[in-house]
Amino acid sequence: MKRRNFLATAGAGLAAGAVASPAIAQSNPEIRWRLTSGFPKSLDTIYGGADFLAKYVSEATEGKFQIQPFAAGEIVGTFQAADAVSSGTVEMAHTAAYYYVGKDPTFAAAAAVPFTLNARQLNAWQYHGGGIGLVNEFMAKHNLYALPGGNTGTQMGGWFRKEIKTVEDLKGLKMRIAGIAGQVMAKLGVIPQQVAGGDIYPSLERGTIDAAEWIGPYDDEKLGFQKVAPFYYYPGFWEGGLTLHFMFNKAKWESLPKHYKAIVESAAMAANQDMLAKYDAKNPAALRSLVGAGAQLRPFSAEILDAAFKATNEVYAEISAQNADFKKLIDSLRAFRNEEYLWFQVAEYAFDSYMIRARTRG
Amino acid sequence: MKRRNFLATAGAGLAAGAVASPAIAQSNPEIRWRLTSGFPKSLDTIYGGADFLAKYVSEATEGKFQIQPFAAGEIVGTFQAADAVSSGTVEMAHTAAYYYVGKDPTFAAAAAVPFTLNARQLNAWQYHGGGIGLVNEFMAKHNLYALPGGNTGTQMGGWFRKEIKTVEDLKGLKMRIAGIAGQVMAKLGVIPQQVAGGDIYPSLERGTIDAAEWIGPYDDEKLGFQKVAPFYYYPGFWEGGLTLHFMFNKAKWESLPKHYKAIVESAAMAANQDMLAKYDAKNPAALRSLVGAGAQLRPFSAEILDAAFKATNEVYAEISAQNADFKKLIDSLRAFRNEEYLWFQVAEYAFDSYMIRARTRG
């Protein structure tokens, strides 16, 4: 009040301008945040989600709120991103929550787990099925707040050195696959392996591993797997859709002015939409190119899918018996899934089915 | 400079606050726009896209940029919305561009035309396939600028009083269906009818019309069609996905400060994502309820789909011969479609196929 009283005596014209300025200065504070991505810049589509958000937030605030993205490893590695955000080392991350399955399997259920939802259904669950609320009940226990920030669509089942027709063919197979998907595959006799992205190609080439899952055609093409493991299986039943998240340090998130929160929420939702559109636009040409370069497309057999579905339900029961947070999420996802496919099998599936048949007729 | 010089003499502390205020006042101008929706408020999902945008834009600008949505008919009717925006009567609309097919069939190609793309593919085309640019080359000729602002997903094929098994069964059928879809159906012997939403039920009840297409389960349920035309066909092959648009008066759009444009672009993209998620979340329960109330689900026969596909290609050739703008859009959409289904038939379709089979096994 002292300052205002002083100004009031300095003349009406001046006072009008000056009185307004404290409110405005307060409402557009200068904020600089660091974002650690779970991905290298070479994965431009998935890494690009962080750039997309940062650009929009900066533009919307005329550069007052700056988020600077760093690639995995520049500040902390992929597997340290959640901890770095939780502790406040960085304000936020853009990553796949299943990388933190070792802390708690519930992180995986927030990102992608076998035989649940496709990308559209994941968004329906998140935005209109209570998903964001459920995920954040859990995230809060880790001092995190998370918003959906991208989706890959259904991923591929990965690259195999040999054809895999039966469950018997999977026995003893060393496959680069992690988390809950790895637990499911282990029930089928696979020996899950942890291999960093850059080491997959040489491991397949040397035969240290027999198979590896990565993402889908656009990203897979960059690594040249078809040269060393030509059998390219689908679908990646453990990732019908993968939700990437923008993860915020909870206290930092809550400290944002309300309109900055609105700007970030809207930008995150747009980034979520944009990544899926980008994957959908880029995957067809990459698939064509991979097949031209020798990739041999193979669907997983019904026998393998059925065995994996059964193993998945067992894994969910085992984890749920010990982890109430996981149970809450997986029960919600599975109930939602059963409802969604009731509808998707009608108009959506019939339209796609016809268009696929029409396409092959030219 | 005069004002600044004056302030500089008034003391350093005061100058710092006051010098900042003119720039800030200029950068957050107070703007009030009116939006005319193409829809009544009773269609809460599709009408809700306008509210969603308005809320986010207001929050992001701390109430400085206010967009007030009006339902169809409050300012102008559905079919006058594009003209009202073009002339500047209102600054913007939220509507389906195919309502303006009478002005130019190219408007329809921007929204939904038979046998093209599903919702995800439409977004891929729009955001990463050059679609927004192509649409706006055309929109500019009408003094409009348009951004995607919602999607319904694949619509249903509508409600029929009698079963329709063959193309012969369609002959002489009076069906409420409009635009390019109506032209296609006319080639199959259907007599397309123009009937406003509120008049469809009594027209079906009296037998003035034999069939009517509307949207999908969630919206259709509100109108109770199953009581008077119980055969509920799928898919609505003329709307594999329907893009709603936010349409702006071009000069008004261009007059926005850069950061307001960024806020609106981000909010429009979020609204686009949100509407599809909302439809996907709401349709399953509505479908269940409709079937419980007597709706009889029927797929269109292969004979009907094949005849409609052939008729569609004829209609596209006829319009393209006379309209270069339409040709440019439809050629782009069809080329993109052929690439998209190359990819969608692999991982996406295989995942959905398995989940649908798994669901029916319980």
Side-chain angles (χ1 to χ4, degrees):
Chain A
M1 282 306 286
K2 265 184 195 166
R3 182 175 156 81
R4 218 174 147 170
N5 288 344
F6 163 74
L7 290 170
T9 63
L14 176 59
V19 166
S21 72
I24 290 168
Q26 183 186 29
S27 74
N28 278 321
E30 295 211 7
I31 298 182
R32 291 181 176 273
W33 276 9
R34 297 192 304 168
L35 176 157
T36 185
S37 172
F39 307 96
K41 287 184 185 171
S42 57
L43 297 176
D44 61 304
T45 300
I46 204 162
Y47 176 85
D51 279 341
F52 182 97
L53 181 95
K55 178 173 175 289
Y56 257 129
V57 169
S58 173
E59 284 181 6
T61 62
E62 293 190 286
K64 294 289 176 63
F65 187 5
Q66 292 283 350
I67 295 168
Q68 186 179 3
F70 292 86
E74 288 185 347
I75 302 173
V76 294
T78 302
F79 298 102
Q80 287 75 49
D83 280 342
V85 175
S86 182
S87 67
T89 302
V90 293
E91 290 83 3
M92 66 182 291
H94 182 239
T95 189
Y98 58 27
Y99 291 138
Y100 317 105
V101 65
K103 294 164 66 80
D104 188 315
T106 314
F107 278 104
V113 283
F115 295 112
T116 46
L117 300 166
N118 68 24
R120 268 178 59 178
Q121 295 165 348
L122 278 169
N123 286 327
W125 177 72
Q126 286 164 326
Y127 296 118
H128 290 280
I132 289 178
L134 284 176
V135 165
N136 280 306
E137 276 181 31
F138 167 73
M139 292 288 174
K141 298 181 184 182
H142 292 269
N143 196 30
L144 298 168
Y145 179 73
L147 290 172
N151 202 299
T152 59
T154 303
Q155 298 196 6
M156 290 293 285
W159 300 87
F160 291 71
R161 285 159 50 97
K162 287 191 261 183
E163 275 197 274
I164 302 295
K165 293 178 177 172
T166 64
V167 175
E168 188 60 31
D169 292 340
L170 290 170
K171 297 262 190 296
L173 203 82
K174 283 175 283 180
M175 180 173 183
R176 188 259 182 200
I177 187 166
I180 289 173
Q183 287 177 253
V184 167
M185 289 304 246
K187 281 188 183 273
L188 271 55
V190 167
I191 306 166
Q193 307 285 311
Q194 302 274 6
V195 184
D199 296 331
I200 300 174
Y201 186 95
S203 301
L204 283 169
E205 191 175 31
R206 286 197 305 269
T208 315
I209 58 174
D210 306 299
E213 67 94 35
W214 187 232
I215 301 175
Y218 180 68
D219 295 319
D220 291 10
E221 191 187 9
K222 294 176 183 167
L223 297 181
F225 298 130
Q226 76 283 354
K227 288 178 246 167
V228 287
F231 298 100
Y232 196 21
Y233 276 86
Y234 64 89
F237 52 79
W238 49 92
E239 299 186 68
L242 163 63
T243 299
L244 288 307
H245 280 97
F246 292 108
M247 279 186 193
F248 307 87
N249 176 282
K250 191 166 178 287
K252 288 283 181 185
W253 169 259
E254 286 165 0
S255 76
L256 286 181
K258 189 170 176 247
H259 66 300
Y260 278 19
K261 280 186 190 162
I263 286 169
V264 173
E265 278 172 351
S266 163
M269 214 163 162
N272 191 34
Q273 166 73 90
D274 186 71
M275 189 192 294
L276 185 61
K278 197 167 172 184
Y279 269 115
D280 287 343
K282 288 184 176 292
N283 274 327
L287 180 67
R288 191 187 283 284
S289 161
L290 282 168
V291 170
Q296 300 202 36
L297 283 174
R298 293 285 186 282
F300 282 124
S301 66
E303 183 196 328
I304 289 175
L305 289 173
D306 286 346
F309 190 73
K310 183 167 169 287
T312 296
N313 288 338
E314 290 168 12
V315 169
Y316 290 159
E318 289 159 16
I319 304 175
S320 294
Q322 297 170 23
N323 187 318
D325 291 328
F326 180 87
K327 184 177 190 309
K328 201 166 181 179
L329 267 195
I330 200 72
D331 286 354
S332 172
L333 281 164
R334 290 159 89 192
F336 200 82
R337 170 197 72 190
N338 293 344
E339 280 297 289
E340 284 299 292
Y341 276 107
L342 173 81
W343 161 236
F344 269 72
Q345 71 184 338
V346 181
E348 293 291 339
Y349 191 74
F351 182 76
D352 286 342
S353 297
Y354 186 78
M355 296 313 296
I356 288 167
R357 289 200 305 276
R359 187 188 170 281
T360 57
R361 286 199 315 249
Chain B
M1 282 305 287
K2 268 185 193 166
R3 181 174 159 81
R4 215 172 151 174
N5 288 344
F6 164 73
L7 288 171
T9 63
L14 175 57
V19 166
S21 70
I24 289 168
Q26 183 187 27
S27 74
N28 278 320
E30 294 213 6
I31 298 182
R32 291 182 177 272
W33 277 8
R34 298 191 304 168
L35 177 157
T36 184
S37 171
F39 307 97
K41 288 185 184 168
S42 57
L43 296 177
D44 61 305
T45 300
I46 204 162
Y47 176 86
D51 280 340
F52 183 97
L53 181 94
K55 178 172 176 289
Y56 257 129
V57 169
S58 173
E59 283 181 5
T61 62
E62 293 190 287
K64 294 287 175 66
F65 186 4
Q66 291 284 349
I67 295 169
Q68 187 179 1
F70 292 87
E74 289 185 348
I75 302 174
V76 294
T78 302
F79 298 102
Q80 288 74 50
D83 280 342
V85 175
S86 182
S87 67
T89 302
V90 292
E91 290 83 2
M92 65 181 292
H94 183 239
T95 188
Y98 59 27
Y99 290 138
Y100 317 105
V101 67
K103 295 164 66 75
D104 190 315
T106 314
F107 277 105
V113 282
F115 295 112
T116 46
L117 300 166
N118 69 24
R120 268 178 59 178
Q121 296 166 347
L122 278 170
N123 286 327
W125 177 73
Q126 287 164 327
Y127 296 118
H128 290 280
I132 289 178
L134 284 175
V135 165
N136 280 306
E137 275 181 31
F138 167 73
M139 292 286 175
K141 298 181 184 183
H142 293 269
N143 197 30
L144 297 167
Y145 180 74
L147 290 172
N151 201 299
T152 59
T154 303
Q155 297 196 7
M156 289 293 285
W159 300 87
F160 291 71
R161 284 159 52 98
K162 287 190 261 183
E163 274 196 276
I164 302 294
K165 294 179 176 173
T166 64
V167 174
E168 189 58 34
D169 292 340
L170 289 171
K171 297 259 191 296
L173 203 82
K174 283 175 283 180
M175 180 173 184
R176 188 258 182 202
I177 187 166
I180 289 174
Q183 288 178 252
V184 168
M185 289 304 244
K187 281 188 183 275
L188 273 54
V190 167
I191 306 166
Q193 307 285 312
Q194 302 274 8
V195 183
D199 296 331
I200 301 175
Y201 185 95
S203 301
L204 283 169
E205 191 176 32
R206 287 197 305 268
T208 315
I209 59 174
D210 305 299
E213 67 93 35
W214 189 232
I215 301 174
Y218 180 67
D219 294 320
D220 291 9
E221 191 187 9
K222 294 176 183 168
L223 298 180
F225 298 128
Q226 75 283 353
K227 287 178 248 166
V228 286
F231 298 100
Y232 196 21
Y233 276 86
Y234 65 89
F237 51 81
W238 51 91
E239 300 186 68
L242 163 64
T243 299
L244 289 308
H245 280 98
F246 291 109
M247 278 186 192
F248 307 88
N249 176 281
K250 191 165 177 287
K252 288 283 182 185
W253 169 259
E254 286 165 1
S255 75
L256 286 180
K258 188 168 177 251
H259 66 299
Y260 277 19
K261 280 186 191 163
I263 286 168
V264 173
E265 278 172 350
S266 163
M269 214 163 161
N272 190 34
Q273 166 73 89
D274 186 71
M275 190 192 293
L276 185 61
K278 197 167 171 184
Y279 269 115
D280 287 344
K282 288 185 176 291
N283 274 326
L287 180 67
R288 191 185 283 284
S289 161
L290 282 168
V291 169
Q296 300 201 37
L297 282 175
R298 294 284 186 282
F300 281 124
S301 66
E303 182 197 326
I304 288 175
L305 290 173
D306 286 345
F309 190 72
K310 185 168 168 287
T312 295
N313 288 338
E314 291 168 11
V315 169
Y316 290 160
E318 289 159 15
I319 304 175
S320 294
Q322 297 170 21
N323 188 318
D325 291 329
F326 180 87
K327 184 176 190 310
K328 201 167 181 179
L329 268 195
I330 200 72
D331 286 354
S332 172
L333 282 164
R334 289 159 91 193
F336 200 82
R337 170 197 72 191
N338 293 345
E339 281 296 291
E340 284 300 292
Y341 276 107
L342 173 83
W343 161 237
F344 270 72
Q345 70 185 336
V346 180
E348 292 290 340
Y349 191 74
F351 182 76
D352 286 341
S353 296
Y354 187 79
M355 296 314 295
I356 288 167
R357 288 201 305 276
R359 188 188 169 279
T360 56
R361 286 200 316 250

